[in-house]
Amino acid sequence: MGCCDSKFLTSESTHPEKVPTHHQQPHSGSRAPTHHPSLPAGSDPESGAAPPFSEFSFSDLKTATNNFSSDYIVSESGEKAPNVVYKGRLNNRRWIAVKKFTKLAWPDPKQFAEEAWGVGKLRHRRLANLIGYCCDGDERLLVAEYMPTDTLAKHLFHWENQTIEWAMRLRVAFHIAEALDYCSTEGRPLYHDLNAYRVLFDEDGDPRLSCFGLMRNSRDGKSYSTNLAYTPPEYLRNGRVTPESVIYSFGTVLLDLLSGKHIPPSHALDMIRGKNIILLMDSHLEGKFSTEEATVVVNLASQCLQYEPRERPNRKDLVSTLAPLQTKPDVPSYVMLGIPKHEEAPPTPQRPLSAMGEACSRMDLTAIHQILVMTHYRDDEGTNELSFQEWTQQMRDMLEARKRGDYAFRDKDFKAAIDCYSQFIDVGTMVSPTVFARRSLCYLLNEQPDAALRDAMQAQCVYPDWPTAFYMQSVALAKLDMHKDAGDMLNEATTLEEKRQRGGRGS
């Protein structure tokens, strides 16, 4: 049985106890892993909802990214740093960003792991935090929180509906300055290749600094993949990144925010020296900015871009200069970006729900049980095509195990049903979405929602458009307190059920 291509499926095993999950590296200074990776990492308000840093298996990440499908690529580096970033979804439904390095980038696995653990200790609301890594054979990967609302480069240079308003540009500058100041305070002052593509927006539209820039692109590789015109002058002289180099790069980001274009610092400095500040400003702002505030930012950019590193401001200076310019603290970022508000939970579908939909929306496990008993195996039709040779004694034993499971399921002996259905599944000759759905319910009734979710996902794998698989996932997710995902899944199930009623199975 192969895994389906659905965006909802991230588990690759038919055995819940064998499904790979990320695990904590034995490390004297590490925190213990949380029971559920979607929950907040701790009570520290700065840490956001990022889980503790941990090691992932390559199979976890391969499954999460649909075998590193090109459809999942969210960014790609240039020739000097040929690594790719994918989005992915873990089996706990958390979205992640996965940076995949070339095999020669980090030949020493210990060095890569140590570097990753150093960055992984950082936790801050202004960072897209690093939550894990993978060091498996020749594979070297980093795993971070996924930011769904694109990059600063997209919003500044390639916008479609509206440009970023002035107050939001000031917020971006301030938040990134705070992120850099935090990293420096925590002993990570170096940031490699800071540019508008490293600034990401989360689901609420708040700007965050990508954690990937806190690690080098390779053990001894180049740290800058941008055009040499934007590279700090001292890096061109000696090839070394210093804390002052990061300030220079921050200055280039300030120029991007001011002009709405990626212009070389030398050109911008000529305009600044010539007092042509208005010419420097983004014409798409249509004059809707404060000249006084713009002058402060222009002067700060000019200081950051000084040729001599010692003449540039430090990170505390960046924060203290930009903090007084935050004039709209109560306006949410999503409003200023012009994106929809992130909803914690979608509304219940407006269309009428079926009996199964109603039972799942109420999490009425007794009603779900009655429906599955009545439905029997009619939805399994066509999911198995067996040759005559496969009707062996083993096959008969397997069907007998399923039969015993059905009797136990009907009689509400759910633990016995789990054992019998597991015998049927373990043989693997025949796959049945109904068995997975039934065992999923049995796990729910035995307070095992994680196992129930995996079985419901496997039912979807066998029969990708089966509404029951989505209904069962919605209940399991609700039991795991993942109500937004549960609502999404209930909507999906209802849509599939409507299609089915209109056009028959698989339509």
Side-chain angles (χ1 to χ4, degrees), residues 214-231:
L214 292 163
M215 262 187 80
R216 291 167 292 169
N217 281 321
S218 63
R219 180 185 63 175
D220 49 9
K222 297 291 183 184
S223 289
Y224 284 85
S225 58
T226 52
N227 187 298
L228 293 179
Y230 304 90
T231 304

Side-chain angles (χ1 to χ4, degrees), residues 108-178:
D108 182 354
K110 184 181 177 186
Q111 187 181 26
F112 179 77
E114 286 175 353
E115 188 89 358
W117 273 93
V119 176
K121 290 175 183 175
L122 303 178
R123 285 291 179 273
H124 198 276
R125 67 185 187 277
R126 303 295 185 231
L127 287 175
N129 295 289
L130 192 68
I131 62 175
Y133 77 107
C134 172
C135 212
D136 193 340
D138 289 333
E139 302 294 347
R140 305 284 184 268
L141 304 101
L142 296 175
V143 183
E145 295 178 292
Y146 176 63
M147 301 290 114
T149 320
D150 272 315
T151 64
L152 176 61
K154 172 74 184 296
H155 287 284
L156 266 184
F157 311 141
H158 311 292
W159 54 274
E160 294 171 4
N161 298 319
Q162 67 177 66
T163 189
I164 306 181
E165 67 170 89
W166 175 243
M168 186 64 192
R169 298 186 192 207
L170 294 174
R171 181 174 295 181
V172 170
F174 179 54
H175 282 200
I176 301 312
E178 284 190 313

Side-chain angles (χ1 to χ4, degrees), residues 61-119:
L61 303 182
K62 188 176 178 182
T63 304
T65 58
N66 197 18
N67 199 20
F68 297 102
S69 165
S70 59
D71 293 338
Y72 282 56
I73 292 176
V74 289
S75 71
E76 205 160 355
S77 296
E79 271 181 47
K80 293 183 182 177
N83 41 63
V84 187
V85 179
Y86 299 83
K87 68 176 178 179
R89 204 170 199 186
L90 298 171
N91 60 8
N92 65 9
R93 314 205 57 74
R94 173 182 283 279
W95 284 101
I96 55 173
V98 181
K99 182 173 181 176
K100 194 171 191 286
F101 292 88
T102 58
K103 293 184 178 180
L104 298 176
W106 292 90
D108 182 354
K110 184 181 177 186
Q111 187 181 26
F112 179 77
E114 286 175 353
E115 188 89 358
W117 273 93
V119 176

Side-chain angles (χ1 to χ4, degrees), residues 125-126 146-152 155 164 167-169 171-173 175-176 199-209 331-343:
R125 67 185 187 277
R126 303 295 185 231
Y146 176 63
M147 301 290 114
T149 320
D150 272 315
T151 64
L152 176 61
H155 287 284
I164 306 181
M168 186 64 192
R169 298 186 192 207
R171 181 174 295 181
V172 170
H175 282 200
I176 301 312
V199 180
L200 312 170
F201 293 91
D202 64 21
E203 64 271 14
D204 295 316
D206 288 324
R208 302 219 216 166
L209 183 63
V331 180
S333 294
Y334 70 85
V335 172
M336 289 199 274
L337 273 184
I339 61 173
K341 185 180 188 302
H342 173 64
E343 297 290 346

Side-chain angles (χ1 to χ4, degrees), residues 43-64:
S43 58
D44 178 7
E46 300 285 20
S47 70
F53 186 79
S54 55
E55 184 177 0
F56 288 76
S57 75
F58 186 65
S59 62
D60 286 345
L61 303 182
K62 188 176 178 182
T63 304

Side-chain angles (χ1 to χ4, degrees), residues 206-353:
D206 288 324
R208 302 219 216 166
L209 183 63
S210 169
C211 63
F212 291 149
L214 292 163
M215 262 187 80
R216 291 167 292 169
N217 281 321
S218 63
R219 180 185 63 175
D220 49 9
K222 297 291 183 184
S223 289
Y224 284 85
S225 58
T226 52
N227 187 298
L228 293 179
Y230 304 90
T231 304
E234 64 273 16
Y235 182 81
L236 295 176
R237 290 198 298 269
N238 56 33
R240 288 180 58 239
V241 177
T242 66
E244 292 77 22
S245 309
V246 181
I247 301 298
Y248 185 94
S249 296
F250 182 77
T252 68
V253 174
L254 289 180
L255 290 183
D256 294 343
L257 291 165
L258 287 163
S259 67
K261 297 182 286 290
H262 196 40
I263 59 175
S266 58
H267 294 184
L269 288 171
D270 287 343
M271 296 172 78
I272 293 169
R273 291 187 194 104
K275 308 294 184 185
N276 293 322
I277 291 177
I278 299 302
L279 285 177
L280 178 66
M281 297 302 293
D282 188 353
S283 60
H284 294 110
L285 288 169
E286 298 177 341
K288 296 175 182 173
F289 61 89
S290 157
T291 306
E292 291 79 8
E293 291 170 353
T295 301
V296 171
V297 178
V298 166
N299 289 337
L300 183 61
S302 179
Q303 293 168 36
C304 291
L305 296 169
Q306 290 297 307
Y307 184 83
E308 289 297 333
R310 65 178 178 273
E311 295 178 4
R312 297 170 198 159
N314 62 38
R315 290 154 209 244
K316 300 287 184 195
D317 295 332
L318 303 182
V319 173
S320 62
T321 302
L322 293 166
L325 306 183
Q326 308 307 304
T327 56
K328 291 187 175 181
D330 299 327
V331 180
S333 294
Y334 70 85
V335 172
M336 289 199 274
L337 273 184
I339 61 173
K341 185 180 188 302
H342 173 64
E343 297 290 346
E344 284 303 316
T348 305
Q350 296 301 307
R351 48 190 180 273
L353 292 170

